[in-house]
């Protein structure tokens, strides 16, 4: 039985067997994650000392919008936004070979405007192995927000001169998410001004079939969007044992002030090509609307897929989880798990990746005091 790469980031195949989590790294007899154990919540982003000793009561340390990648060689990459260099919000990256010891932060954007909400994936092209999208917020009039793309050969070295704007004009493009499907890079985002004609936020797609060299114009996802409500925060990935994509996103009232509102609910849909979507199933049913449910993602264990998101619990933001089997069976809230109640660190923006140790996963999120936290857990 030989060991082979699947061509998908973070996934291995035992040839002749179904898709499984591989307990030993291909090409050797040592698993770089063999020493991982379940842990309590712990701060992952290095201390941000921007405001230390400044005497400015309005100085706000900020580490947010974390995105986590497990590369094929078992290396973890964490990318997030920070103002730690007393500049505007920029993107920073740290990595770890074992999920235990992490390197120093590397600043990968330096623009005068603010850079937010990154997604990093691994996909081999002729010129790069890592691909990144994020949104850039102008800090002066007209305050437009655009989607940007960059690539890197090693995931740690990024050339700011090669950054590409995927959208332009006086637009309000928000929370992009990047995935690869059928050798095409797909970037999803939502827009409330400049593109949408519905009067509400809608989800759009731009795509590249040549490894990021050229991109299509934005196209609205009519299969996804509501004609009367806001659709936002698309998260897209493959489910285990499938080549189909699943998207989970937030839908909320067009009259709501923002995506942290009691009208927020979560929906999901599936697609073979990432362009045409079917389903629009609800993750949760909150009737009447009394609970904030927003900023979702999901992960798969091999036997189950879990949606995870920010839920307003009293005055605290809690990370919660709910299985897709419960969503399809309509059992919500039976089966809902309050992760924050278990680990004691309220927050938002959860992301989970599997490790190379069978049954072990890494979770990251943003804490209330705006630091990136992590936790190793078994599932």
């Amino acid at each position: 039985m030989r060991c082979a790469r699947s061509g998908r980031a973070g996934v291995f195949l035992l040839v002749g067997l179904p898709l499984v989590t591989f307990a030993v790294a291909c090409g050797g007899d040592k698993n770089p994650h063999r020493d991982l154990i379940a842990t309590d919540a712990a701060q992952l982003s290095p201390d941000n000392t921007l405001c230390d000793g400044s005497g400015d009561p309005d100085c706000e340390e900020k580490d947010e919008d974390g995105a986590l990648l497990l590369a094929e060689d078992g290396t973890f990459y964490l990318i997030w936004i920070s103002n730690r260099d007393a500049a505007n919000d920029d993107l920073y990256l740290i990595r770890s070979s074992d999920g235990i010891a992490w390197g120093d932060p590397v600043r990968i954007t330096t623009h005068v405007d603010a850079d937010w909400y990154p997604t990093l994936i691994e996909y081999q092209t002729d010129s790069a192995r890592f691909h990144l999208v994020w949104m850039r917020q102008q800090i002066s009039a007209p305050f437009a927000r655009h989607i940007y793309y960059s690539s890197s050969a090693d995931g740690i070295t990024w050339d700011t001169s090669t950054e590409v704007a995927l959208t332009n004009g006086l637009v309000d493009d928000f929370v992009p998410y990047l995935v690869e499907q059928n050798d095409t890079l797909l970037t999803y985002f939502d827009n409330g001004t400049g593109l949408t004609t519905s009067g509400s936020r809608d989800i759009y797609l731009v795509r590249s079939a040549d490894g990021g060299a050229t991109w299509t114009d934005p196209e609205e996802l009519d299969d996804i969007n509501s004609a009367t409500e806001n659709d936002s925060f698309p998260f897209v990935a493959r489910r285990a044992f499938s080549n189909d994509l699943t998207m989970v996103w937030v839908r909320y009232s067009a009259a709501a002030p923002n995506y942290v509102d009691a009208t927020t609910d979560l929906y999901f849909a599936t697609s073979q090509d990432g362009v045409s979507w079917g389903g629009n199933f609800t993750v949760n049913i909150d009737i009447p609307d009394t609970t904030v449910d927003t900023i979702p993602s999901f992960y798969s264990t091999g036997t189950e897929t879990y949606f995870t998101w920010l839920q307003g619990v009293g005055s605290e933001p809690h990370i919660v989880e709910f299985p897709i089997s419960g969503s399809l069976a309509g059992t919500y809230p039976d089966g809902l798990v309050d992760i924050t109640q278990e680990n004691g660190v309220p927050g938002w923006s959860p992301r989970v990746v599997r490790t190379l140790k069978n049954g072990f996963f890494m979770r990251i999120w943003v804490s209330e005091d705006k630091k990136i936290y992590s936790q190793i857990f078994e599932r």
Side-chain angles (χ1 to χ4, degrees):
M1 183 166 54
R2 70 186 187 277
C3 180
R5 291 290 176 89
S6 71
R8 305 299 187 194
V11 176
F12 296 90
L13 294 178
L14 288 178
V15 177
L17 295 178
L19 184 64
V20 296
T21 305
F22 199 15
V24 179
C26 291
D29 58 359
K30 292 184 178 180
N31 183 344
H33 303 167
R34 65 189 181 279
D35 294 328
L36 288 179
I37 60 173
T39 66
D40 295 330
Q43 183 181 327
L44 180 55
S45 57
D47 285 338
N48 182 344
T49 59
L50 171 69
C51 303
D52 288 355
S54 69
D56 183 356
D58 297 323
C59 189
E60 178 189 25
E61 300 175 21
K62 183 190 300 182
D63 289 282
E64 295 187 81
D65 293 354
L68 187 62
L69 169 69
L70 174 63
E72 284 193 358
D73 63 1
T75 302
F76 293 99
Y77 292 77
L78 170 68
I79 185 169
W80 79 101
I81 72 164
S82 182
N83 60 353
R84 61 185 50 243
D85 286 328
N88 294 313
D89 298 342
D90 283 306
L91 302 183
Y92 288 78
L93 187 144
I94 56 175
R95 61 181 176 177
S96 170
S97 62
D98 58 9
I100 300 171
W102 294 77
D104 293 330
V106 176
R107 184 178 177 183
I108 62 176
T109 62
T110 58
H111 200 273
V112 64
D113 289 325
D115 293 314
W116 294 341
Y117 210 81
T119 301
L120 178 67
I121 69 169
E122 182 182 25
Y123 170 63
Q124 187 66 61
T125 66
D126 290 340
S127 59
R129 181 178 158 207
F130 295 89
H131 304 262
L132 170 70
V133 297
W134 71 97
M135 66 178 185
R136 179 163 286 167
Q137 163 80 61
Q138 293 179 351
I139 62 173
S140 58
F143 303 106
R145 292 190 288 208
H146 299 123
I147 308 303
Y148 273 75
Y149 162 83
S150 188
S151 62
S152 168
D154 60 5
I156 203 75
T157 306
W158 299 82
D159 184 353
T160 58
S161 69
T162 63
E163 297 171 355
V164 177
L166 304 187
T167 61
N168 56 70
L170 185 57
V171 293
D172 174 29
D173 297 326
F174 194 55
V175 294
Y177 200 83
L178 175 66
V179 69
E180 176 271 327
Q181 179 76 337
N182 301 328
D183 295 321
T184 299
L185 295 174
L186 307 169
T187 297
Y188 301 89
F189 62 96
D190 68 76
N191 177 274
T193 303
L195 291 176
T196 180
T197 58
S198 68
S200 60
R201 302 200 73 88
D202 291 316
I203 295 175
Y204 285 78
L205 166 68
V206 292
R207 43 184 163 156
S208 173
D210 55 12
T214 60
W215 293 80
T216 63
D217 291 332
E219 51 195 300
E220 185 175 352
L221 297 186
D222 294 329
D223 298 336
I224 295 292
N225 295 314
S226 166
T228 59
E229 295 184 279
N230 290 310
D231 293 290
S232 185
F233 279 94
F235 177 95
V236 184
R238 291 181 191 86
R239 287 169 55 190
F241 302 100
S242 174
N243 194 47
D244 291 352
L245 296 175
T246 295
M247 176 190 295
V248 59
W249 75 96
V250 179
R251 178 168 292 169
Y252 60 100
S253 169
N258 55 46
Y259 55 86
V260 186
D261 184 79
T263 63
T264 50
D265 289 306
L266 306 182
Y267 285 73
F268 70 100
T270 59
S271 173
Q272 292 183 337
D273 60 7
V275 180
S276 299
W277 294 83
N280 284 23
F281 303 105
T282 56
V283 175
N284 60 317
I285 301 174
D286 181 26
I287 301 174
D289 287 320
T290 58
T291 305
V292 172
D293 295 287
T294 190
I295 316 181
S297 62
F298 68 85
Y299 68 97
S300 295
T301 64
T303 59
E304 181 66 278
T305 294
Y306 291 90
F307 296 107
T308 179
W309 69 93
L310 155 65
Q311 185 171 92
V313 179
S315 60
E316 286 187 331
H318 281 215
I319 303 300
V320 297
E321 290 186 356
F322 189 64
I324 193 172
S325 59
S327 299
L328 294 171
T331 64
Y332 182 88
D334 291 341
L336 183 73
V337 177
D338 189 332
I339 302 300
T340 295
Q341 188 177 45
E342 295 179 352
N343 66 30
V345 181
W348 59 88
S349 296
R351 296 287 187 267
V352 176
V353 300
R354 64 173 60 227
T355 75
L356 295 184
K357 185 174 181 178
N358 280 335
F360 281 75
F361 298 79
M362 179 180 290
R363 174 189 294 115
I364 65 161
W365 69 99
V366 181
S367 65
E368 278 192 296
D369 57 350
K370 295 188 177 180
K371 303 179 187 299
I372 306 296
Y373 269 71
S374 69
Q375 183 177 26
I376 303 295
F377 65 98
E378 290 184 82
R379 183 72 76 202

